[in-house]
Amino acid sequence: HQNMIQLKNNFTWEENGMIFKKNHQIIRKKIFSFLSEIEQQNNEINKIHTILIIIAMEDEASPTISYLGLKQLQGNKKFPFKIYGGEKNGKRIVLMTSGKDSTHGVDNVGPQVASSMATIGIHEFDPNVVVNMGTAGGFKASGAKIGSVYVGTKAQFHDRRIPIPKFDKYGSGDYNTTTPTSINGMFKSATISTGSSLDITDAEKERLSKQSQQMAVVKEMEAAAIAQVCQWNSTPFVVIKAITDLIDSSAKTEEEFLKNLKIASKSLQ
Ligand code: SAH
């Protein structure tokens, strides 16, 4: 574990969930205000009819599901994904979560699952826009703070290494994401980096600092995978992530925990 950066993520979902719920109040109020912006940005789309929201974990998704009054739909039994549907402001909303792993009983997470969800979601529901929301780690050195919400400007991979000419750039991805100007100022914007692991090695961190003009501020496990699928279909893709832990923090876990608990408790008042 020598080359692993100490993660401050030994929070239970209760703590992370509380921070995310607080951020959700901000996110869910804003999320529909930028849809007209996306319509304008994409000339081929005259009117958005369907929005596909992808959220990996059930706990992350539950505030949005209840806010939007979505009802669970019959999913395809061949896949673990849960699908919720409803309508808001005349738009069809489809929300997918990744469901549980049948062997280990935990929520499915990560890029492989995210790609599958995006592929099936786009194929089945033909959305005009895909939105990925969730929790993420942040780099303190790049200014990330616990509780901050970021909108992605780019999505890339930090652990997809293919050191062959052209494949190297393909591996890191550097996909464009949609950053509607109407939400500039509401959220910070950042490059988001995706990997299969919750932790990050020194080598990956080194690569991360070199592979993009703008060093990633946010690290999670789904965004770039969904971006790749959206690119195949030219579907505008919006990423919104709330920081629940700092990857490069020197703070002791207990201190971080207490600090987070304070933020989280405040949000419950
Ligand atoms: N912090 C959560 C982690 C769950 S597994 C917990 O303690 O339960 C990881 C999921 O959370 C993924 O969907 C990923 O996108 C997101 N995530 C949150 N913090 C992360 C981090 N520091 N690094 C990578 N992914 C993170």
Side-chain angles (χ1 to χ4, degrees):
H1 284 281
Q2 278 253 313
N3 65 342
M4 298 289 179
I5 286 157
Q6 188 58 48
L7 275 172
K8 305 288 175 267
N9 62 358
N10 359 0
F11 310 122
T12 63
W13 254 107
E14 220 171 303
E15 282 98 42
N16 269 342
M18 278 194 281
I19 295 168
F20 193 69
K21 269 179 192 153
K22 177 196 154 204
N23 285 322
H24 243 282
Q25 287 169 6
I26 312 167
I27 295 165
R28 68 194 185 198
K29 280 189 194 127
K30 309 291 181 201
I31 203 156
F32 292 96
S33 65
F34 62 73
L35 290 174
S36 60
E37 186 88 23
I38 297 165
E39 281 176 43
Q40 284 165 21
Q41 283 187 7
N42 195 328
N43 294 331
E44 285 167 34
I45 299 168
N46 293 322
K47 195 145 181 62
I48 286 179
H49 53 78
T50 302
I51 302 155
L52 173 64
I53 303 174
I54 297 178
I55 302 180
M57 300 176 81
E58 206 61 28
D59 279 358
E60 294 175 316
S62 56
T64 304
I65 293 167
S66 46
Y67 169 72
L68 294 172
L70 305 180
K71 300 270 169 295
Q72 192 170 353
L73 308 176
Q74 177 94 49
N76 187 328
K77 290 205 173 78
K78 289 175 185 161
F79 303 102
F81 315 135
K82 283 183 158 184
I83 301 172
Y84 301 84
E87 222 191 271
K88 184 92 177 169
N89 304 342
K91 323 254 186 226
R92 179 169 68 140
I93 313 284
V94 179
L95 188 150
M96 292 177 85
T97 63
S98 47
K100 300 250 186 257
D101 178 86
S102 58
T103 310
H104 305 285
V106 297
D107 280 293
N108 285 305
V109 292
Q112 300 82 358
V113 174
S115 294
S116 306
M117 272 204 282
T119 304
I120 290 168
I122 289 173
H123 184 259
E124 293 271 315
F125 303 106
D126 195 24
N128 309 100
V129 57
V130 174
V131 182
N132 174 221
M133 289 160 48
T135 58
F139 290 100
K140 197 182 161 198
S142 304
K145 290 193 178 73
I146 287 171
S148 293
V149 181
Y150 284 90
V151 59
T153 45
K154 290 248 182 198
Q156 55 174 223
F157 289 103
H158 55 264
D159 67 355
R160 208 167 66 159
R161 290 178 296 278
I162 316 169
I164 302 169
K166 290 192 180 172
F167 276 97
D168 53 355
K169 288 217 163 62
Y170 166 79
S172 59
D174 221 21
Y175 303 102
N176 286 317
T177 54
T178 302
T179 49
T181 50
S182 60
I183 58 168
N184 273 353
M186 292 177 190
F187 306 132
K188 296 173 179 182
S189 55
T191 297
I192 299 190
S193 202
T194 301
S196 294
S197 307
L198 189 66
D199 57 11
I200 183 165
T201 63
D202 281 345
E204 284 165 358
K205 206 177 162 227
E206 166 88 7
R207 181 171 183 256
L208 199 92
S209 65
K210 286 185 184 149
Q211 75 181 8
S212 185
Q213 282 183 312
Q214 219 190 353
M215 165 86 180
V217 184
V218 178
K219 176 198 168 288
E220 45 74 270
M221 297 172 70
E222 288 86 15
I226 301 169
Q228 183 176 20
V229 179
C230 287
Q231 185 181 275
W232 294 338
N233 205 45
S234 305
T235 308
F237 176 48
V238 179
V239 194
I240 300 171
K241 297 280 159 157
I243 305 298
T244 49
D245 48 86
L246 296 173
I247 297 143
D248 53 351
S249 169
S250 57
K252 285 210 178 83
T253 303
E254 311 88 81
E255 286 168 18
E256 193 117 6
F257 171 79
L258 289 171
K259 212 169 74 193
N260 281 319
L261 204 64
K262 224 172 161 183
I263 300 170
S265 312
K266 251 192 196 156
S267 71
L268 287 180
Q269 287 169 2

